[in-house]
């Protein structure tokens, strides 16, 4: 089994859903956790309590990943507080789904700002630190719709496809510094995000999954733990689907 003892991970969107499960899994493996949320204090408080119960150092930070200056300042603060950062998981994401016909400019801009620029902001914030230390792990949460496209998700799928380009580019920039950069492309995973889907769309998606079930947050957290571990030290620039075969 992998272990992350003595490592510190920054996880964006760690208050609930996939990010929370990644935080819990990393803590189980011994990592200290600094997680970001934006606007939901109650979930963050609960998550922090659950992480503390695992005996690791943990702190919740309220920060909008889309805000370049705030993200930069916060990462400096986390490095100061935790001493060193070893892993960055860019997981925060939002949806504003609708067809292009009815998509407002603000729907497009908001999704790109959080889901794509947020990944750039956080990556740039840890970049020098990882370069200097000559090691690091960056794990970016893409989506299978970044590979396949999806009607009603032009903003979201563009951001998720952009994350794949960013993952490969940063992997090429930082490979010689022993920093790996990989993307996870989840399919249909049960979280608040997918709970908000219309019933018809949910049924159609489930029917199209070869494994005939939705994924669980643990399915994503298990892969994130592997990618963060020493055992994955020669994997970089990769995009791994976790989707029950949906996008093959
Ligand atoms: P979720 O349950 O909606 O959780 C989203 C998380 O992101 C929350 O912790 C939220 O914090 C945080 N967040 C949102 N906007 C933020 C911002 N501007 N700055 C910082 N944090 C922000 O989502 P999820 O289903 O767990 O999805 C996690 C990631 O996986 C996303 O990138 C999503 O696109 C991707 N994904 C999910 C699925 C799926 O089926 N669920 C499939 C493919 C990809 P607050 O609680 O404070 O709002």
């Amino acid at each position: 089994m992998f272990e992350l003892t003595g490592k510190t991970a920054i996880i964006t969107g760690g208050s609930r859903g996939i990010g929370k499960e990644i935080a819990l899994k990393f803590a189980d493996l011994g990592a200290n956790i600094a997680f970001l949320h934006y606007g939901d204090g109650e979930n963050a408080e609960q998550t922090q309590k659950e992480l503390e119960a695992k005996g690791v150092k943990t702190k919740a930070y309220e920060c909008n990943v889309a805000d370049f200056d705030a993200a930069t300042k916060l990462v400096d603060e986390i490095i100061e507080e935790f001493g060193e950062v070893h892993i960055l998981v860019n997981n925060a994401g939002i949806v504003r789904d609708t067809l292009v016909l009815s998509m407002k400019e603000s729907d497009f801009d908001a999704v790109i700002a959080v889901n794509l620029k947020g990944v750039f902001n956080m990556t740039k914030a840890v970049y020098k630190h990882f370069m200097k230390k000559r090691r690091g792990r960056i794990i970016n949460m893409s989506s299978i719709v970044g590979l396949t496209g999806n009607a009603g998700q032009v903003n979201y799928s563009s951001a998720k496809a952009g994350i794949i380009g960013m993952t490969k580019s940063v992997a090429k920039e930082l490979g010689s510094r022993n920093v790996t950069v990989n993307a996870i492309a989840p399919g249909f995973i049960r979280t608040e995000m997918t709970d908000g889907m219309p019933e018809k769309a949910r049924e159609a998606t489930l029917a199209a999954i070869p494994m005939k079930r939705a994924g669980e947050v643990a399915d994503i957290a298990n892969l994130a733990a592997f990618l963060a571990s020493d055992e994955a030290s020669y994997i970089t620039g990769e995009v791994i689907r976790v989707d029950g075969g949906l996008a093959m």
Side-chain angles (χ1 to χ4, degrees), residues 13 15-16 18 38 40 63-65 91 156 160 187 189 191 194:
S15 55
R16 56 194 165 96
I18 292 171
Y38 188 53
D40 190 337
C63 176
N64 179 5
V65 292
N91 164 80
Y156 183 80
K160 294 303 189 185
I189 310 297
T191 66
T194 45

Side-chain angles (χ1 to χ4, degrees), residues 94-105:
I94 57 168
V95 284
R96 297 275 189 280
D97 296 352
T98 188
L99 299 175
V100 171
L101 197 63
S102 47
M103 188 174 286
K104 295 192 199 100
E105 184 187 8

